[in-house]
Amino acid sequence: MSCNYLKTRSTILAPMDGLTDSIYRETVLSIYNHWDYYYTEFLRAPVNSRFKDRFIIRHFGEPIFNDEKLRNKTVLQILATPKTSTVPLVEQIGNIGIGKIDLNLGCPAKKVNSHQGGAWLLDYPELIKEIVKGIRENYQGFFSVKIRVGYSDDRNFEKIIEI
């Protein structure tokens, strides 16, 4: 599968919850503006509700959003579960002009996993398939997935890679 969005050899600021907020990314961008891509902290998809566009833009980083070059270098990471309103969120993200998203299937945090998100989903490929299908059918931009080899073990790794 070819990728038209990311260069084959890229320098990427990886996402980390509680660290890669917009202020941190703006600072890194000012020092390492030659890096290729910068991932945001994850944005938790809401349950049965919708964010205001302004909230998403603030999470993304307003100065970054308002600078087309920086916006194109930034990937908005989302955290979804089987219960969240993921499809409306990704449609909204696309409509406001964010062209790259990443689904977090790697977070090991107990709080995230207790809500059936992050790495917890790695034990349930059928749920991942449902979430990924909803995103891919409703979001036209670049879409990647951050994963681990597994949650409890690595038995589903190949299935998940195929998804």
Side-chain angles (χ1 to χ4, degrees):
M1 180 157 126
S2 67
C3 177
N4 298 328
Y5 289 90
L6 298 183
K7 298 187 296 187
T8 304
R9 303 185 96 188
S10 299
T11 304
I12 299 171
L13 175 66
M16 218 168 152
D17 193 44
L19 182 62
T20 54
D21 63 11
S22 63
I23 295 169
Y24 180 83
R25 282 182 286 111
E26 287 174 48
T27 302
V28 172
L29 276 161
S30 71
I31 300 168
Y32 303 105
N33 64 1
H34 61 284
W35 286 7
D36 300 300
Y37 301 99
Y38 304 81
Y39 280 62
T40 69
E41 298 182 286
F42 61 75
L43 175 67
R44 287 178 170 86
V47 177
N48 300 321
S49 66
R50 184 178 167 97
F51 293 130
K52 293 184 184 226
D53 290 353
R54 199 95 197 115
F55 178 82
I56 296 171
I57 292 168
R58 270 197 315 271
H59 180 86
F60 191 79
E62 196 165 350
I64 294 167
F65 180 82
N66 291 327
D67 182 317
E68 186 177 357
K69 181 180 177 189
L70 298 181
R71 183 174 356 128
N72 289 333
K73 292 174 83 161
T74 303
V75 182
L76 176 63
Q77 187 180 98
I78 62 170
L79 182 73
T81 75
K83 298 175 185 175
T84 56
S85 303
T86 307
V87 168
L89 175 62
V90 298
E91 290 174 334
Q92 183 181 13
I93 289 167
N95 289 338
I96 62 176
I98 295 174
K100 296 176 183 68
I101 61 172
D102 179 75
L103 175 63
N104 182 319
L105 295 180
C107 184
K110 287 180 184 180
K111 182 176 180 181
V112 169
N113 294 171
S114 72
H115 292 286
Q116 300 177 336
W120 179 89
L121 283 163
L122 297 174
D123 281 348
Y124 303 93
E126 67 282 356
L127 296 176
I128 292 173
K129 188 172 187 176
E130 192 176 305
I131 292 168
V132 167
K133 181 180 180 199
I135 293 170
R136 190 65 287 167
E137 290 178 353
N138 295 282
Y139 182 75
Q140 303 310 309
F142 169 81
F143 170 45
S144 63
V145 180
K146 173 186 169 184
I147 68 168
R148 292 177 177 273
V149 173
Y151 182 62
S152 302
D153 54 50
D154 65 356
R155 73 183 180 281
N156 294 321
F157 183 71
E158 289 184 25
K159 285 183 209 171
I160 293 166
I161 292 299
E162 287 183 27
I163 293 169

